């Protein structure tokens, strides 16, 4: 069976217009621009306005991605939404997005924190590689501004809202997800959690007072985990692709914290120029972080046809996921046709050569036989003279000639 690859055929991002700078935060909570910049690298983040939701942002990003891909919602075979801050726990935001788009296809939500988008992309690749589906929408979208406690400076300065969408389609050449590495360490789950949301923690008055409906984080533990897992998973996915860091044109890490990225870059020994960072503009947008960075890298011209990108993320769970992604378009159909023509031509040449050699063999045999006949004919008088009968073969030949 012919190998099927996936590829990114469309991409689009959406960041809410409302910008919240570190200076704005100084007015909300006991923090300052100098600390946030030094400890995280973040300068500003986006926060949704009234009326905006995870599904509305996902639809905005998707419409752009579909336009780039030259597709409509009707062309989608599957929708995968990665989000840990959906419109509601039930129904899944993926079905809301499917309805709002007017698509007629299955839809599912991946809730794996910041790694969700890479999980989703790898999942989409499997469906395309097996031939089950053609066009799959993968969106990372978060409205974390609704899930952080704006009085908790440990968390509220870090996060932002946004959405990034890609359309994955089939390809006849080696593009798309070339390898991946995914993992989960649930034993560390409590280091980053919202204890009051879900069946184990249906919210009551006491929980509300403790603000347990909001995200809680042990920053130090998450930092330790992230700086260990980022380089480890990057190297693992490269090994799975039988590549080294030298083969990678751009590393796109989860945009959580500049210090985590710096440490990972130093541990890997990769050239800083090959690492894409845009967290100063958006903060940590969780599952939207990788697609927002990927799409911005594409829009800035940092990604060219044939480039090999390494996406690497970590997040709540605690989880991690990385993938080598080869950027590019499928082979032109006309090239395939040209190849078929070439094969046809080669076959016809072979046939013609075979015919020619048969004709030549026949001709050569005829010439030889004629020569042999003439030679025998010349010998006839001699045979007659000697009284010996000409050979039967010659007699026959003479008969057929008549
Ligand atoms: N503004 C100003 N000062 C702050 C602050 C804030 N927002 N948050 C903490 N501080 C102060 C603390 O009070 C403490 O002061 P002290 O030394 O006078 O007691 C000091 O800064 C250090 O606080 P600490 O919480 O120990 O900081 P840290 O070194 O762990 O850095 C993070 C905090 C959040 C930057 C860091 O832990 C981190 O990046 N963790 C990973 C978080 C992450 O990426 N999460 C998302 C995963 S998807």
């Amino acid at each position: 069976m012919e190998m099927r690859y996936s590829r990114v055929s469309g991409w689009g991002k959406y960041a809410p217009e409302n910008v919240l700078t570190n200076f704005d935060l100084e007015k909300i909570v006991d923090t300052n621009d100098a600390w946030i910049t030094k400890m995280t690298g973040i300068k500003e983040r986006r926060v949704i306005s009234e009326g905006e939701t995870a599904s509305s942002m996902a639809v905005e990003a998707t419409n752009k991605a579909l336009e780039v891909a030259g597709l409509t919602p009707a062309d989608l075979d599957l929708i995968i939404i990665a989000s840990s801050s959906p419109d509601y726990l039930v129904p899944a935001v993926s079905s809301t997005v499917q309805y709002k788009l007017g698509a007629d296809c299955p839809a599912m939500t991946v809730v794996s924190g910041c790694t969700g988008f890479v999980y989703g992309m790898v999942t989409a690749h499997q469906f395309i590689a097996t031939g089950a589906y053609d066009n799959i929408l993968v969106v990372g979208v978060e409205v974390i501004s609704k899930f952080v406690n704006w009085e908790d400076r440990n968390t509220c300065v870090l996060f932002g809202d946004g959405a990034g969408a890609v359309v994955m389609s089939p390809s006849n050449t080696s593009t798309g997800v070339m390898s991946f590495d995914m993992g989960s360490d649930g034993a560390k789950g409590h280091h980053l959690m919202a204890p009051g949301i879900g069946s184990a923690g249906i919210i009551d008055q006491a929980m509300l007072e403790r603000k347990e409906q909001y995200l809680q984080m042990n920053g130090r533990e998450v930092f330790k985990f992230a700086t260990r897992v980022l380089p480890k998973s990057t190297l693992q996915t490269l090994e799975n692709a039988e590549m080294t860091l030298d083969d990678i044109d751009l590393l796109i890490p989860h945009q959580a914290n500049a210090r985590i990225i710096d440490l990972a870059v130093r541990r890997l020994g990769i050239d800083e120029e090959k690492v894409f960072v845009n967290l100063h503009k958006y903060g940590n947008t969780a599952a939207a972080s990788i697609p927002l960075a990927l799409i911005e890298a594409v829009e800035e011209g940092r990604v060219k046809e044939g480039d090999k990108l390494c996406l690497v993320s970590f997040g709540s769970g605690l989880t991690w996921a990385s993938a080598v992604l080869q950027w590019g378009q499928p082979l032109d159909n006309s090239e395939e046709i040209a190849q078929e023509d070439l094969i046809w031509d080669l076959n016809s040449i072979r046939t013609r050569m075979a015919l020619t050699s048969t004709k030549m063999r026949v001709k050569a045999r005829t010439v030889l036989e004629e020569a042999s006949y003439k030679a025998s004919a010349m010998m006839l008088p001699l045979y007659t003279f000697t009284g010996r009968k000409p050979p039967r073969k010659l007699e026959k030949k003479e008969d057929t000639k008549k």
Side-chain angles (χ1 to χ4, degrees):
M1 202 179 99
E2 197 193 326
M3 181 91 174
R4 260 168 76 103
Y5 298 92
S6 61
R7 74 189 163 99
V8 176
S9 59
W11 52 89
K13 67 181 201 301
Y14 178 79
E17 269 180 30
N18 187 17
V19 177
L20 188 72
T21 67
N22 292 349
F23 298 103
D24 296 326
L25 273 169
E26 287 180 4
K27 295 172 201 140
I28 300 171
V29 70
D30 180 17
T31 190
N32 56 78
D33 171 61
W35 189 93
I36 302 172
T37 306
K38 179 171 167 246
M39 298 299 279
T40 72
I42 300 164
K43 295 300 284 183
E44 59 188 42
R45 70 284 294 142
R46 303 296 180 94
V47 173
I48 57 160
S49 305
E50 190 69 31
E52 286 187 310
T53 58
S55 61
S56 75
M57 291 203 295
V59 168
E60 291 277 353
T62 299
N63 284 335
K64 291 178 195 161
L66 286 170
E67 198 183 321
V68 173
L71 298 173
T72 69
D75 298 311
L76 293 175
D77 298 310
L78 175 66
I79 294 172
I80 301 176
I81 307 284
S83 183
S84 291
S85 48
D87 295 8
Y88 307 101
L89 200 58
V90 181
V93 67
S94 40
S95 290
T96 311
V97 172
Q98 168 261 316
Y99 167 69
K100 284 187 175 178
L101 285 172
D104 180 16
C105 66
M108 61 166 127
T109 302
V110 179
V111 188
S112 307
C114 311
T115 60
F117 180 81
V118 180
Y119 270 39
M121 211 176 197
V122 170
T123 306
H125 167 76
Q126 309 306 319
F127 280 110
I128 292 171
T130 57
Y133 292 133
D134 281 342
N135 300 307
I136 302 180
L137 173 70
V138 187
V139 185
V141 58
E142 301 284 6
V143 188
I144 312 194
S145 61
K146 294 273 187 183
F147 289 89
V148 289
N149 174 2
W150 288 97
E151 292 170 0
D152 176 13
R153 66 178 187 174
N154 284 320
T155 52
C156 75
V157 303
L158 302 175
F159 297 98
D161 302 339
V166 297
V167 178
M168 307 270 291
S169 301
S171 171
N172 55 4
T173 187
S174 57
T175 54
V177 176
M178 308 306 290
S179 73
F180 61 88
D181 170 56
M182 306 197 292
S184 168
D185 182 0
K188 295 189 172 68
H190 57 287
H191 293 317
L192 187 54
M193 76 181 295
I197 307 169
S199 59
I202 295 291
I203 203 87
D204 59 17
Q205 194 53 38
M207 288 170 108
L208 279 175
E209 276 159 21
R210 291 196 300 270
K211 310 262 184 202
E212 288 185 355
Q213 70 274 38
Y214 296 122
L215 207 58
Q216 297 180 354
M217 184 183 71
N218 181 337
R220 295 229 155 163
E221 284 300 324
V222 176
F223 191 94
K224 269 198 313 206
F225 170 78
T227 48
R228 184 176 56 81
V229 89
L230 260 186
K232 193 167 173 249
S233 187
T234 301
L235 293 177
Q236 187 58 58
T237 201
L238 285 173
E239 193 185 317
N240 296 348
E242 296 179 357
M243 289 180 188
T244 68
L245 275 171
D246 292 339
D247 298 312
I248 294 300
D249 298 288
L250 197 63
L251 179 75
I252 302 182
H254 172 39
Q255 307 289 308
N257 181 322
R259 284 195 309 144
I260 293 174
I261 296 176
D262 282 350
L263 208 61
V265 163
R266 265 187 282 139
R267 284 185 181 166
L268 284 168
I270 188 173
D271 182 357
E272 272 179 37
E273 297 290 307
K274 281 181 157 193
V275 183
F276 190 81
V277 177
N278 68 352
L279 60 84
H280 54 288
K281 292 195 275 185
Y282 303 111
N284 180 349
T285 56
S289 152
I290 292 272
L292 272 179
L294 169 67
I295 294 161
E296 207 154 278
V298 173
E299 288 173 350
E300 286 178 12
R302 297 276 305 268
V303 181
K304 306 179 301 298
E305 179 78 17
D307 272 3
K308 294 175 195 79
L309 320 174
C310 183
L311 316 178
V312 56
S313 193
F314 60 89
S316 65
L318 299 178
T319 53
W320 65 91
S322 57
V324 170
L325 183 73
Q326 183 155 337
W327 199 256
Q329 295 304 304
L331 285 174
D332 194 335
N333 272 348
S334 59
E335 276 182 46
E336 274 182 349
I337 291 161
Q339 230 174 358
E340 272 174 33
D341 280 346
L342 189 70
I343 290 164
W344 188 88
D345 276 343
L346 278 174
N347 284 339
S348 78
I349 288 167
R350 248 185 245 126
T351 312
R352 270 183 235 144
M353 276 172 71
L355 274 174
T356 312
S357 75
T358 309
K359 276 185 197 160
M360 279 170 74
R361 271 205 307 276
V362 170
K363 182 83 182 162
R365 212 169 37 224
T366 314
V367 168
L368 270 175
E369 277 174 0
E370 271 176 13
S372 137
Y373 168 74
K374 277 179 189 157
S376 307
M378 279 167 67
M379 300 284 278
L380 260 178
L382 196 62
Y383 283 123
T384 316
F385 179 75
T386 56
R388 284 166 66 183
K389 281 191 170 177
R392 279 175 67 84
K393 208 174 157 195
L394 281 176
E395 273 176 355
K396 250 194 169 175
K397 274 258 177 221
E398 214 165 11
D399 287 344
T400 47
K401 273 254 166 191
K402 280 172 193 166

